[in-house]
Amino acid sequence: FSLHWLFLVTSLSKAQNAVDEARPLLEAANPDQLSSSDGLVSVGSITLSRGLYGDYIADLMKKARFSNEAVDQGILLEALVERLMAKHSFGHFATDILLKFGLLGTIIGFIMMLSPVGSLTEFDPGILQSLLGQMSGGMAVALYTTAAGLVTSALLGLQYQILDSATARFVDRVAVSVDVLVLPLLFEQKKLFEQRKLMETNTGDAQ
C-alpha cells in the first residue's frame, strides 16, 4: 500500500515541477508563441513535457479553439480534480480494510480465548492452569491484531491525508497559473485572429 502511495507522490511531484518550469516561460511569452500540436504544448521553441499540466493546457487550448465564447476552465478543472482523487480511492479503501482486519483478528482472538472454556469438565488446578494459558494466548492474539490494525490504518490514513492536501495545493497552483498566465494569452490570440480576419475581409472587399 505504501508503494502505491509513493508512486502517487512521485507522479504529483513531477507534475508540480512541470508547473514550476512552465511558469517563467508563460510569464515571458507573447500570444503568438503559445501553440499546441498533437497534444503537445509549445511556448516559443520550448515544448512543455507531457503530463498533468501539459495535457491540461492542451485540452484548454483545444477548447478555446472550438469555442466562440470566453474560455472557462471550470469543467476541465473539475475533471482534473476527479482524475487525481480517483487514484487515491485505493489508498482510502486499503486504510479501511486494515482497520477491519484488525477487528477480525480481535474476534478470532476472543474465539481462541473462549473456546477452551466449553471443554472444561472439572476444576482441576492443572487443567485450570492449562486453560488460563490458552486463554491468555487468545487474548494476546486479539490485542496484537487490534493494535496492528489500528497502527497500520492510522499511518496509511495519514499518508493519504498528506497526499490529498498536496493534491489540493497542486490543483490550486494549476488553476492560478492558468487563470493568470494562460487564459490571457488565449484571449489575446483570439483577439489577434479576429483582427487579422477582419483585415483580410476588408482587403478582399477593397479589391
Side-chain angles (χ1 to χ4, degrees):
F1 299 133
S2 291
L3 288 177
H4 178 260
W5 174 82
L6 184 62
F7 171 76
L8 293 179
V9 168
T10 304
S11 300
L12 188 62
S13 177
K14 290 180 180 178
Q16 289 179 339
N17 289 338
V19 177
D20 293 337
E21 292 172 0
R23 190 176 184 89
L25 298 175
L26 293 170
E27 287 177 347
N30 296 321
D32 289 334
Q33 292 180 306
L34 183 63
S35 61
S36 175
S37 176
D38 296 328
L40 292 174
V41 177
S42 298
V43 183
S45 59
I46 300 176
T47 301
L48 302 184
S49 58
R50 296 205 67 147
L52 291 171
Y53 189 60
D55 293 345
Y56 182 79
I57 295 178
D59 290 338
L60 195 66
M61 293 180 67
K62 189 180 296 183
K63 181 179 179 180
R65 190 179 304 122
F66 296 104
S67 176
N68 294 324
E69 301 177 357
V71 181
D72 179 18
Q73 63 167 329
I75 296 177
L76 288 176
L77 197 62
E78 290 178 8
L80 178 64
V81 173
E82 291 293 331
R83 194 191 329 170
L84 290 171
M85 289 303 180
K87 297 177 181 179
H88 302 179
S89 59
F90 174 75
H92 294 298
F93 171 76
T95 301
D96 189 51
I97 284 295
L98 287 173
L99 184 59
K100 285 180 170 58
F101 277 151
L103 295 175
L104 179 62
T106 303
I107 295 172
I108 293 174
F110 277 117
I111 292 173
M112 293 173 59
M113 182 182 70
L114 297 175
S115 59
V117 177
S119 62
L120 182 64
T121 56
E122 54 181 319
F123 292 96
D124 182 81
I127 295 177
L128 288 175
Q129 185 175 5
S130 175
L131 179 64
L132 288 174
Q134 294 178 29
M135 292 180 69
S136 63
M139 178 62 76
V141 170
L143 294 178
Y144 281 133
T145 53
T146 301
L150 289 173
V151 171
T152 54
S153 175
L155 290 177
L156 191 63
L158 177 62
Q159 288 179 332
Y160 278 90
Q161 184 62 42
I162 294 172
L163 182 60
D164 287 344
S165 300
T167 301
R169 288 195 299 271
F170 168 73
V171 172
D172 182 66
R173 292 176 65 187
V174 169
V176 171
S177 65
V178 167
D179 208 45
V180 173
L181 300 175
V182 179
L183 291 183
L185 291 176
L186 294 178
F187 177 76
E188 289 298 325
Q189 277 186 349
K190 183 170 289 190
K191 195 173 175 181
L192 289 173
F193 175 77
E194 291 175 352
Q195 289 176 353
R196 290 168 183 167
K197 190 175 180 180
L198 182 61
M199 289 176 61
E200 291 176 358
T201 302
N202 293 335
T203 302
D205 293 341
Q207 291 176 350

